[in-house]
Amino acid sequence: MSGHGAFDPIAVALAFTAVLDRLGVSYLVAGSLASSAHGEPRSTNDIDIVADLQPQQAGPLLQSLGDSYYFSEVAIQQALRVGGAFNLIHLDTVMKIDVFIVGSDAFDRERLRMRQPLQVSAEPTAWLFVDTAEHTILRKLEWYRRGGEASERQWRDVVAILRVQGAGLDGARLDEWASRLGVADLLERASAEAREA
């Protein structure tokens, strides 16, 4: 799953998560990087990170980012204070990083608890924590529903993970959270499509 060149999203993710590691912040990589790890690889121009950042970490975070990123200090402080998300642009690659604050969201807490280490590079050895296959499916189904069930890309990602992971998925966990998140019908439809593929 490693790539080469200045525009490698893995390298950008490693650079940013190194900042979180130094601050002692639990995180996971989600979105298309996670779905590429669990399903079919595809290119991406942005990186989704779920992070357990606290309001008092705003100062140290801003200091650690230095001049490698373009960001709004106000947006970061507000997101850390009230929850939600903020984004950064990695200046060397112009790649966008969306950071979602965990806050009190029960599903995000569960995602952090279950995150998986993934080796993304052998030379030198490098690891990222990524969302599980199950949680990637569920969050993508949520985004699909929120977007009016119009995003073919989100749907394709979900079906690909279901197909590639198959019986290795934790069906009980999927069903429980799909029901809690209101996407049980979508999960059923995607699973049927994955079986037919």
Side-chain angles (χ1 to χ4, degrees):
M1 202 186 140
S2 65
H4 300 283
F7 293 87
D8 177 14
I10 297 289
V12 176
L14 283 167
F16 180 70
T17 56
V19 170
L20 298 180
D21 283 335
R22 280 196 298 277
L23 295 175
V25 173
S26 293
Y27 76 87
L28 61 85
V29 177
S32 47
L33 281 184
S35 66
S36 289
H38 298 304
E40 285 172 358
R42 70 169 169 84
S43 62
T44 181
N45 292 321
D46 58 359
I47 296 161
D48 291 345
I49 307 267
V50 176
D52 192 13
L53 278 159
Q54 303 299 319
Q56 66 271 22
Q57 290 172 312
L61 174 67
L62 291 166
Q63 231 171 349
S64 303
L65 293 173
D67 50 13
S68 300
Y69 303 88
Y70 170 79
F71 55 86
S72 158
E73 197 170 316
V74 174
I76 290 179
Q77 287 172 331
Q78 187 177 350
L80 265 59
R81 208 169 47 247
V82 301
F86 63 88
N87 58 50
L88 316 150
I89 306 291
H90 183 253
L91 292 173
D92 283 352
T93 60
V94 204
M95 197 163 272
K96 187 160 78 94
I97 303 171
D98 289 311
V99 182
F100 299 88
I101 307 298
V102 172
S104 57
D105 184 298
F107 182 51
D108 280 349
R109 291 252 157 239
E110 177 76 352
R111 292 167 76 193
L112 265 188
R113 197 174 65 78
M114 302 291 294
R115 66 186 187 160
Q116 298 173 327
L118 177 73
Q119 186 170 356
V120 292
S121 165
E123 291 292 328
T125 306
W127 297 76
L128 285 170
F129 282 107
V130 297
D131 218 354
T132 64
E134 291 84 356
H135 293 155
T136 303
I137 289 167
L138 291 161
R139 186 41 44 106
K140 280 187 167 286
L141 288 175
E142 270 196 302
W143 284 115
Y144 181 70
R145 172 141 285 163
R146 280 184 209 166
E149 301 182 20
S151 170
E152 277 181 40
R153 202 179 60 194
Q154 299 278 24
W155 186 257
R156 222 174 29 244
D157 285 347
V158 166
V159 173
I161 298 169
L162 285 163
R163 198 177 61 243
V164 171
Q165 298 295 325
L169 291 165
D170 183 339
R173 177 178 296 280
L174 267 177
D175 290 342
E176 181 201 339
W177 278 102
S179 172
R180 286 172 70 171
L181 298 168
V183 293
D185 57 323
L186 292 179
L187 177 62
E188 203 172 311
R189 205 170 93 208
S191 299
E193 201 172 305
R195 283 193 298 271
E196 288 160 16

